[in-house]
């Protein structure tokens, strides 16, 4: 409905690029400026926060913790759709499970789109028919 804020779920690596201090992708600042201009709600999955807190560089962790309040944390998790349950059957690593968890939020219509550079998420989204709502920087 009109007036509702678009919810954009940010993948862990996008958050790390944004908060790391060393610019990996110069265009990420532009993307974030557009999100702010368009008043998109920048959402973070609890699993992403867990991943960042385990990051090997303590400076990345500190920078992220300091900026955490500028993101909306998803406080609950989406129920798995049949498609998400099917994807979970093939998840072998913790990273696979987190990727599927991010897609569960999109499949459950709790977020409007995902911003990620992760090819695995893009290929899983294609299998679910959600590619049109998964973007790269």
């Amino acid at each position: 409905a009109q007036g509702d804020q678009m919810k954009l779920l940010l993948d862990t690596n996008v958050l790390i690029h944004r908060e790391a201090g060393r610019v990996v992708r110069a265009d990420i600042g532009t993307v974030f400026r557009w999100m702010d201009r368009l008043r998109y709600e920048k959402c973070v999955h609890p699993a992403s926060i867990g991943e960042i807190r385990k990051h090997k560089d303590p400076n990345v962790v500190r920078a992220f913790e300091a900026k955490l309040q500028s993101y909306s944390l998803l406080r609950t998790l989406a129920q798995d759709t049949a498609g998400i349950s099917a994807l979970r059957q093939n998840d072998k690593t913790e990273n696979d499970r987190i990727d599927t968890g991010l897609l569960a939020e999109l499949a459950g219509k709790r977020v409007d789109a995902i911003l990620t550079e992760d090819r695995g998420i893009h290929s899983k989204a294609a299998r679910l028919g959600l590619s049109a709502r998964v973007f790269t920087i």
Side-chain angles (χ1 to χ4, degrees), residues 14-15 17-19 22-37 42 71 115 137:
V14 170
L15 293 163
H17 286 333
R18 176 65 179 166
E19 307 305 349
R22 46 177 205 285
V23 178
V24 186
R25 296 280 312 255
D27 41 3
I28 194 158
T30 307
V31 170
F32 270 69
R33 269 195 308 284
W34 274 106
M35 283 189 265
D36 289 338
R37 262 190 211 150
K42 295 184 280 296
Y71 300 104
L115 183 65
I137 294 170

Side-chain angles (χ1 to χ4, degrees), residues 87-108:
L87 284 181
R88 287 199 194 278
Q89 309 282 320
N90 301 312
D91 287 350
K92 288 168 183 59
T93 66
E94 180 64 12
N95 192 52
D96 291 342
R97 286 185 280 279
I98 291 169
D99 291 353
T100 300
L102 294 178
L103 282 164
E105 301 303 317
L106 187 62

Side-chain angles (χ1 to χ4, degrees), residues 79-89 107 128:
Q79 294 291 318
D80 284 358
T81 61
I84 292 293
S85 294
L87 284 181
R88 287 199 194 278
Q89 309 282 320
L128 293 170

Side-chain angles (χ1 to χ4, degrees), residues 8-135:
L8 189 59
L9 184 58
L10 306 175
D11 176 31
T12 309
N13 290 322
V14 170
L15 293 163
I16 289 172
H17 286 333
R18 176 65 179 166
E19 307 305 349
R22 46 177 205 285
V23 178
V24 186
R25 296 280 312 255
D27 41 3
I28 194 158
T30 307
V31 170
F32 270 69
R33 269 195 308 284
W34 274 106
M35 283 189 265
D36 289 338
R37 262 190 211 150
L38 297 168
R39 291 188 172 76
Y40 283 4
E41 186 177 341
K42 295 184 280 296
C43 300
V44 179
H45 194 281
S48 293
I49 292 176
E51 265 190 309
I52 291 170
R53 286 186 174 145
K54 289 186 267 186
H55 197 278
K56 63 189 178 302
D57 182 346
N59 295 319
V60 169
V61 177
R62 267 197 305 280
F64 179 72
E65 292 285 350
K67 293 172 182 154
L68 194 52
Q69 68 280 358
S70 64
Y71 300 104
S72 294
L73 173 63
L74 299 179
R75 304 230 174 259
T76 59
L77 302 181
Q79 294 291 318
D80 284 358
T81 61
I84 292 293
S85 294
L87 284 181
R88 287 199 194 278
Q89 309 282 320
N90 301 312
D91 287 350
K92 288 168 183 59
T93 66
E94 180 64 12
N95 192 52
D96 291 342
R97 286 185 280 279
I98 291 169
D99 291 353
T100 300
L102 294 178
L103 282 164
E105 301 303 317
L106 187 62
K109 297 184 171 54
R110 291 170 30 106
V111 296
D112 298 294
I114 296 176
L115 183 65
T116 181
E117 297 292 293
D118 187 314
R119 286 200 185 99
I121 293 176
H122 284 276
S123 70
K124 284 180 173 183
R127 278 180 267 161
L128 293 170
L130 296 173
S131 290
R133 293 166 52 208
V134 179
F135 301 96

